[in-house]
Amino acid sequence: MTTAVENVAQLDDTIVAAATPNGRGALALIRLSGPEAFSIAEKHLRPLPSQPRVTQLCTVHHGDEVLDQALVTLFPGPNSFTGDDTVELSTHGGYLVPSSVIAALISSGARQAVPGEFTRRAVLNSKLDILHKRCDALLLASWMEGYHAVSCS
């Protein structure tokens, strides 16, 4: 049996995770990325967006159960954050809806991503360099204008 950390080395599987923190936020962003991202999404979205990079309102299903309505955007690889086919779903926030959508996507073949796995794939696919990511982290953590200026230079 492999652990989640050992699975990080697998670049040929499809991963899913919330890109926003769980909790009381009004919206949650769920990212699905990998070679089967579009086929997994097709099992749960009605309709599946017909054009890449055009956000479309879709109903998210798990079997006959409606889980939510979401704004969905398809990003075909290699022109995505990770370099892989990617689907981004903006669902309602909280705990129940995002976790239900993620569970449905996992039931269709995606694997729960470990923290940092999307970024790791972006680096390995030459979509992002470590220095750029470090600057992003500084920008997000900045609370003073001086830190903000340093992170953006």
Side-chain angles (χ1 to χ4, degrees), residues 83-101:
D84 298 324
D85 288 347
T86 300
V87 180
E88 290 188 354
L89 301 91
S90 294
T91 67
H92 287 93
Y95 295 99
L96 181 62
V97 171
S99 62
S100 297
V101 171

Side-chain angles (χ1 to χ4, degrees), residues 7-89:
N7 280 336
V8 174
Q10 303 288 328
L11 295 176
D12 58 347
D13 56 356
T14 300
I15 57 175
V16 64
T20 51
N22 288 332
R24 297 184 181 195
L27 298 174
L29 179 67
I30 298 169
R31 186 171 288 142
L32 175 69
S33 185
E36 300 300 319
F38 294 165
S39 63
I40 290 171
E42 188 174 21
K43 296 174 185 176
H44 298 281
L45 299 175
R46 296 186 191 123
L48 184 70
S50 58
Q51 295 180 321
R53 290 177 195 74
V54 176
T55 302
Q56 183 173 332
L57 181 64
C58 302
T59 303
V60 185
H61 294 264
H62 186 48
D64 292 332
E65 181 184 3
V66 173
L67 301 178
D68 197 17
Q69 285 197 314
L71 293 174
V72 180
T73 310
L74 305 179
F75 297 94
N79 299 316
S80 69
F81 174 74
T82 61
D84 298 324
D85 288 347
T86 300
V87 180
E88 290 188 354
L89 301 91

